[in-house]
Amino acid sequence: MSIIGVGIDVAEIGRFEASLKRTPGMAERLFVERELLLASGERRGIASLAARFAAKEALAKALGAPAGLQWTDAEVYVEDSGQPRLRVKGTVAARAAELGVRAWHVSLSHDAGVASAVVIAEG
């Protein structure tokens, strides 16, 4: 296996929250329903959503930032172990296949008002 692409992104949590409040429907355009909710059914916290947004930006960078990727064609989820993962479909899966991506690695973090993510595309 070899590294096909690496992406990193940061999101200021307060600014991200303000954008969500200012733009009705933005959360639904960025995230699939499972990303918006915790396993308990409660709405996911803003820091966690900001980290997921950063992961989607990092994913796009790992794929060479092509035009036409749909935000909801990438889903950040967490395994029972707590490890974050990516699930891709549609436009994101097509670009990944074009590049030969066979595996994803993702790391999320949020602290001191900033959310960050790193995504590695491996082929």
Side-chain angles (χ1 to χ4, degrees):
M1 295 265 234
S2 62
I3 294 175
I4 291 173
V6 176
I8 185 169
D9 196 70
V10 297
E12 184 183 341
I13 296 168
R15 184 173 163 207
F16 182 73
E17 181 176 32
S19 292
L20 289 179
K21 287 180 180 177
R22 186 175 55 247
T23 311
M26 182 177 176
E28 288 73 21
R29 288 192 302 274
L30 295 176
F31 304 106
V32 299
E33 187 174 343
R34 289 182 301 263
E35 290 175 301
L36 294 170
L37 303 174
L38 297 170
S40 66
E42 293 179 67
R43 184 125 173 134
R44 186 174 299 282
I46 193 68
S48 180
L49 287 177
R52 281 160 171 70
F53 175 71
K56 292 179 183 216
E57 287 277 358
L59 169 64
K61 291 172 183 176
L63 293 176
L69 295 181
Q70 298 296 311
W71 293 109
T72 55
D73 283 350
E75 176 187 353
V76 179
Y77 69 98
V78 179
E79 292 186 335
D80 291 339
S81 66
Q83 184 173 1
R85 294 283 187 192
L86 288 170
R87 185 177 293 127
V88 300
K89 64 181 183 179
T91 59
V92 176
R95 176 62 175 168
E98 181 181 309
L99 296 174
V101 176
R102 296 188 341 202
W104 299 102
H105 305 276
V106 60
S107 180
L108 307 174
S109 186
H110 48 79
D111 189 28
V114 176
S116 62
V118 174
V119 171
I120 299 171
E122 188 176 29

